[in-house]
Amino acid sequence: MFRLANVSRAIVSVVIPASFIAAQPILAAAGEDPTEVAAAIVDKQYSEQEMDVKRLFASRCSWCHQGYGMKQADGPRLAGTLLSRDEVMDRIARGRSPMPGFRKQLKPFQIEALADYIKALPTD
Ligand code: HEC
């Protein structure tokens, strides 16, 4: 009885984390929320800087670019931009009226992360 309980506990502790980990790519591939998928990639890429790119976007960009870049508002929808990654970085840094430039407020890696995030959003 005692041994059986220990064995089943051991099985549960192996099986649950394994299926949990296996579900992650499937959930990501299902793409319930494409902003979460894009942010997960970027946050991982910039994990040394403890990046939370959606929080950064919300604090600086959501004012004009809504739905985390998915919806047109005062500023255009950013998902599917025809600008290259470098051009996106340049636009964020220097702005273009009426969008302000952010090179004085943001660090270069933050501008890069925002550009990577925008380019990771779906294009259609
Ligand atoms: C005050 C409103 C405002 C804020 C804040 C703002 N933007 Fe913009 N943004 C705009 C407008 C308006 C445009 C279109 C300007 C133009 O004619 O090119 C634009 C254009 C862009 C473009 C070019 C899109 C394209 O395909 O041409 C990018 C990229 C962009 N914004 C990213 C950002 C990011 C990232 C932030 C936050 C760091 C941000 N913006 C903050 C208003 C804003």
Side-chain angles (χ1 to χ4, degrees):
M1 194 58 180
F2 182 74
R3 274 185 59 183
L4 192 63
N6 275 348
V7 169
S8 56
R9 200 172 300 137
I11 291 171
V12 166
S13 67
V14 170
V15 169
I16 289 181
S19 58
F20 179 72
I21 291 161
Q24 296 307 304
I26 298 164
L27 286 175
E32 295 253 330
D33 180 350
T35 67
E36 285 294 322
V37 178
I41 296 167
V42 172
D43 290 351
K44 196 171 166 195
Q45 202 179 327
Y46 295 85
S47 56
E48 274 180 33
Q49 289 97 337
E50 298 184 354
M51 178 58 60
D52 182 344
V53 77
K54 282 184 82 167
R55 208 167 93 185
L56 180 60
F57 191 99
S59 69
R60 305 288 182 159
C61 322
S62 289
W63 174 29
C64 300
H65 297 284
Q66 301 211 330
Y68 290 102
M70 295 298 290
K71 288 195 195 129
Q72 148 119 43
D74 287 346
R77 175 184 153 105
L78 300 175
T81 179
L82 298 176
L83 302 181
S84 69
R85 178 181 182 272
D86 282 355
E87 287 168 336
V88 168
M89 280 173 30
D90 191 62
R91 187 62 57 87
I92 298 168
R94 299 199 298 171
R96 183 163 104 181
S97 181
M99 177 175 152
F102 288 89
R103 66 186 176 288
K104 296 203 178 113
Q105 290 108 300
L106 296 178
K107 301 199 171 79
F109 81 84
Q110 293 177 308
I111 294 178
E112 253 181 66
L114 285 166
D116 285 335
Y117 167 74
I118 289 167
K119 294 301 281 181
L121 293 174
T123 53
D124 52 0

